[in-house]
Amino acid sequence: YQLAIHGTQSGLWEWNRTNGEWFRSPEWITILGYAELPPSDVPSYYDIIVDEDKEKANASFLHVMNGKTGLYEATYRVRHRD
């Protein structure tokens, strides 16, 4: 699994709903321009979503949180660090 993700250079993030911890893959961090920052300074996925797309992304997230679906699927734009 890890080799396949690394080979595609896909950026992934994951949120552990139970303990609130975030995982952002090294590729995700690099793609968005945060590779030289310490992990604690890398923003969450929501913080970099383009303002016009936040409502749609949040609605999809709330569907998961409210038990309407078990899969978070959304398309939105994000801002690169620079």
Side-chain angles (χ1 to χ4, degrees):
Y1 170 79
Q2 197 170 24
L3 181 59
I5 294 300
H6 181 71
T8 63
Q9 298 181 359
S10 296
L12 303 173
W13 62 265
E14 180 179 28
W15 175 56
N16 183 324
R17 186 174 175 179
T18 304
N19 64 19
E21 290 181 4
W22 287 93
F23 166 78
R24 290 156 298 227
S25 70
E27 291 81 9
W28 186 91
I29 292 169
T30 300
I31 289 167
L32 296 170
Y34 294 94
E36 68 280 354
L37 295 179
S40 60
D41 290 349
V42 176
S44 76
Y45 88 96
Y46 190 75
D47 293 334
I48 61 170
I49 294 175
V50 173
D51 290 339
E52 293 85 10
D53 294 350
K54 281 189 176 184
E55 185 176 334
K56 185 172 101 176
N58 193 46
S60 296
F61 185 75
L62 290 176
H63 280 213
V64 174
M65 298 300 292
N66 294 328
K68 293 181 181 179
T69 183
L71 175 65
Y72 176 70
E73 185 174 353
T75 302
Y76 50 83
R77 298 167 293 163
V78 295
R79 290 184 305 275
H80 190 271
R81 182 172 175 222
D82 60 7

